[in-house]
Amino acid sequence: MTKNIAVIKGDGIGPEIVTEAIKVLDRIAEKYGHTFYYEQLLMGGCSIDANGVPLTDETIERCKASDAVLMGSIGGNTSTSPWYKLPPQLRPEAGLLALRKALGLFANLRPCVLFPQLSGACPLKEEISAKGFDMLIMRELTGGLYFGERRTEEINGVITAVDTLKYDENEIRRIAVKAFDVAMKRNKKVTSVDKANVLDTSRLWRKVVEEVAKDYPEVKYEHMLVDNCAMQLVKDPAQFDVMVTENMFGDILSDEASMITGSIGMLASASMNESKFGLYEPSGGSAPDIAGQNKANPIATILSAAMMLRYSFDMTAEADAVEAAVNKVLDAGYRTGDIMSEGMRLVSCSEMGDKIVEFI
Ligand code: IPM
Ligand code: MG
């Protein structure tokens, strides 16, 4: 098969980790007889430097024309980078949000799995981590507080800021359907997370999820309040299969979930539209403190590329091969700094990529 992949390396560690993912994709192409074409595009801080804006129409158009988008990370140090002196709508993150919206990527899939080889890096008590966990967080990505109207103004001499949290039933239904669909292919359990004891949007969320659940009698589902969910994630993460939640809750809970896998450097993600099109990026940030030092963990990006093979290209064997290679590299004891533990072999970002390629 021939596929056109739009590549946004971005800022910070982005270029390093994406380079490793492309190495892995090239190995897959060679082994399975595919051709992948890559088109490099700018978004985020690098686009501000080159074009004065974090996202150009051209980048949007080229992404739309591609079969999938592979992304690294964007943004810089929010206290020191000149990008954060710009108005909010011109900062790197605004580019990412606008791109998600322009491409209609409303469903963000973040799989959180505790690799048994990394159970030592899991900060939970051993009796909890010993049970392992394998959950998928389905985060709504183009609605809620992130996209509601916002403003800062002075009212009677008092500076006041407003952000609006809004969801309509259609936005909730389509993400709930995605969650139940993917639960059917997993362990058939959905936990819908909300704050229905306080928020109207959450009460609507519950109502719509209940309607959708009727179409999936085989799937067990439950509602959980977000504060309780934050607690359950560290108390008993094994209880979760698919978790579905709104944009902001999903942002926070997915960082929490990533930490109990050992490192955010392990957490892949796929952002999908109604069809098979998606943008694939690690869940972690641009880590400006270690950028350019060949120290970053490329595994989340490599696993995101595997998700691209699986979900956008229907290349199941190829995706399995990448995931198996990651497992073998961990079995063999290779570790980047973030997941290093005693007795293991510390490798650089590029060495980690090379090792994974070797095992494919
Ligand atoms: C994420 C990130 C983004 C988000 C930032 C960079 C805008 O934290 O993908 O989780 O909040 O969605
Ligand atoms: Mg986040």
Side-chain angles (χ1 to χ4, degrees):
M1 261 192 249
T2 297
K3 295 288 177 192
N4 294 304
I5 303 172
V7 176
I8 299 174
K9 290 189 170 178
D11 310 317
I13 58 170
E16 299 159 56
I17 54 185
V18 172
T19 300
E20 299 317 306
I22 289 178
K23 261 189 210 168
V24 169
L25 287 172
D26 283 341
R27 171 67 189 128
I28 289 291
E30 175 192 50
K31 180 162 176 184
Y32 292 87
H34 302 303
T35 307
F36 296 142
Y37 292 111
Y38 307 99
E39 183 178 14
Q40 307 283 340
L41 300 171
L42 295 180
M43 196 269 285
C46 54
S47 174
I48 298 175
D49 292 344
N51 309 309
V53 287
L55 176 67
T56 59
D57 290 341
E58 197 204 337
T59 291
I60 298 175
E61 288 321 309
R62 298 312 302 153
C63 286
K64 281 187 180 163
S66 71
D67 295 306
V69 184
L70 178 66
M71 201 190 115
S73 51
I74 53 110
N77 184 316
T78 49
S79 329
T80 57
S81 163
W83 299 328
Y84 296 92
K85 300 216 162 58
L86 296 167
Q89 71 280 10
L90 288 178
R91 292 180 193 169
E93 288 72 10
L96 177 58
L97 299 187
L99 186 63
R100 287 173 178 167
K101 194 74 168 179
L103 301 177
L105 307 174
F106 68 89
N108 182 215
L109 286 68
R110 297 188 164 179
C112 301
V113 182
L114 182 63
F115 285 84
Q117 304 94 319
L118 296 186
S119 60
C122 173
L124 301 179
K125 276 196 210 150
E126 211 188 306
E127 67 213 59
I128 300 173
S129 63
K131 285 202 267 172
F133 56 85
D134 179 349
M135 72 183 99
L136 186 131
I137 300 183
M138 179 74 76
R139 167 188 177 195
E140 201 291 325
L141 203 60
T142 53
L145 274 173
Y146 276 63
F147 291 93
E149 206 188 302
R150 69 176 98 256
R151 65 180 176 279
T152 304
E153 61 190 340
E154 214 176 286
I155 304 176
N156 299 330
V158 181
I159 303 176
T160 309
V162 181
D163 295 285
T164 347
L165 172 47
K166 180 176 158 240
Y167 271 107
D168 71 40
E169 58 177 314
N170 298 327
E171 290 172 305
I172 302 170
R173 191 167 295 112
R174 65 183 182 178
I175 188 80
V177 166
K178 282 255 183 199
F180 280 86
D181 279 345
V182 55
M184 285 297 289
K185 295 187 187 153
R186 295 177 45 106
N187 290 322
K188 301 196 172 130
K189 181 175 175 195
V190 170
T191 304
S192 172
V193 178
D194 62 39
K195 187 72 185 171
N197 51 349
V198 177
L199 301 175
D200 260 24
T201 43
S202 285
R203 290 187 270 267
L204 180 62
W205 186 278
R206 270 196 191 202
K207 182 173 169 280
V208 175
V209 169
E210 264 160 33
E211 284 163 19
V212 171
K214 291 198 182 103
D215 294 333
Y216 299 84
E218 280 174 61
V219 177
K220 276 208 326 209
Y221 83 97
E222 63 182 356
H223 301 288
M224 192 178 279
L225 294 174
V226 61
D227 44 354
N228 181 30
C229 182
M231 208 165 63
Q232 295 299 328
L233 267 174
V234 289
K235 191 172 160 229
D236 179 19
Q239 68 183 289
F240 296 109
D241 178 23
V242 176
M243 184 190 291
V244 61
T245 190
E246 66 93 41
N247 203 345
M248 180 83 156
F249 296 159
D251 180 45
I252 298 168
L253 293 174
S254 62
D255 266 31
E256 187 188 358
S258 78
M259 200 54 238
I260 58 171
T261 68
S263 166
I264 196 160
M266 298 298 297
L267 199 71
S269 104
S271 306
M272 318 277 307
N273 70 5
E274 307 272 2
S275 65
K276 286 184 178 299
F277 182 80
L279 179 149
Y280 298 85
E281 57 171 325
S283 298
S286 59
D289 51 319
I290 57 161
Q293 297 174 32
N294 199 17
K295 272 187 189 166
N297 183 351
I299 292 180
T301 319
I302 289 167
L303 291 175
S304 301
M307 291 183 86
M308 175 171 84
L309 297 171
R310 188 181 304 284
Y311 293 114
S312 283
F313 302 164
D314 284 321
M315 296 180 182
T316 310
E318 291 84 338
D320 289 346
V322 174
E323 289 168 5
V326 168
N327 253 301
K328 284 184 203 149
V329 164
L330 295 176
D331 280 340
Y334 297 104
R335 302 283 188 272
T336 44
D338 57 319
I339 49 174
M340 184 60 192
S341 58
E342 220 181 285
M344 299 294 131
R345 302 224 323 243
L346 183 67
V347 292
S348 66
C349 178
S350 57
E351 284 166 339
M352 181 56 97
D354 291 340
K355 287 290 161 203
I356 293 171
V357 165
E358 255 174 53
F359 281 109
I360 294 176

